[in-house]
Amino acid sequence: QVQLVESGGGLVQAGGSLRLSCAASGRTGSSYAMGWFRQAPGKEREFVAAISWNGGNTRYADSVKGRFTISRDNAKNTVSLQMNSLKPEDTAVYYCARGVRGLVPTSEYEYAYWGQGTQVTVSS
């Protein structure tokens, strides 16, 4: 089993920044993509960003491109999401997930393990 624990969420004003972190434990491995998803109240969970197993490839949702940056440290079994220029519409619970393979999938069905989520609230 793999356990994922997110941290770093909170309340921030529009235009501000937050950095989310996700720590993996258990049967971890570096040969898997990692991703971030989010779910706003009343909406379906949506893809935010993904990073390949070696960090060489990344993908972003159009809504966050240029503002968010995903990174990983395989030695520490962590993945981070730096969020800049935050907007009220970024308000959601953010989830970290581990993919079933090493590429950068955007579908939640290609992720096998999920964290419990961390709340991000952006005030206007």
Side-chain angles (χ1 to χ4, degrees):
Q1 284 290 340
V2 175
Q3 294 78 43
L4 302 173
V5 179
E6 303 95 336
S7 61
L11 173 64
V12 63
Q13 289 188 333
S17 299
L18 280 176
R19 185 177 181 86
L20 304 184
S21 294
C22 173
S25 61
R27 298 188 65 180
T28 60
S30 59
S31 300
Y32 302 95
M34 296 295 294
W36 287 95
F37 289 74
R38 67 186 182 187
Q39 187 168 20
K43 295 186 177 181
E44 294 186 351
R45 188 158 56 186
E46 65 175 2
F47 169 77
V48 175
I51 187 166
S52 62
W53 69 276
N54 64 353
N57 290 294
T58 57
R59 292 184 73 176
Y60 297 93
D62 289 342
S63 58
V64 307
K65 202 170 294 183
R67 300 188 297 123
F68 290 12
T69 303
I70 188 171
S71 61
R72 68 187 295 165
D73 185 336
N74 287 342
K76 297 181 179 180
N77 292 322
T78 59
V79 61
S80 299
L81 185 69
Q82 177 66 41
M83 307 186 294
N84 298 329
S85 302
L86 284 162
K87 305 175 181 179
E89 50 264 43
D90 294 319
T91 295
V93 177
Y94 283 70
Y95 298 91
C96 169
R98 197 191 84 169
V100 298
R101 55 182 63 86
L103 301 179
V104 283
T106 60
S107 169
E108 62 180 286
Y109 299 106
E110 295 186 82
Y111 289 84
Y113 298 98
W114 295 82
Q116 293 299 306
T118 185
Q119 176 70 47
V120 171
T121 303
V122 184
S123 63
S124 57

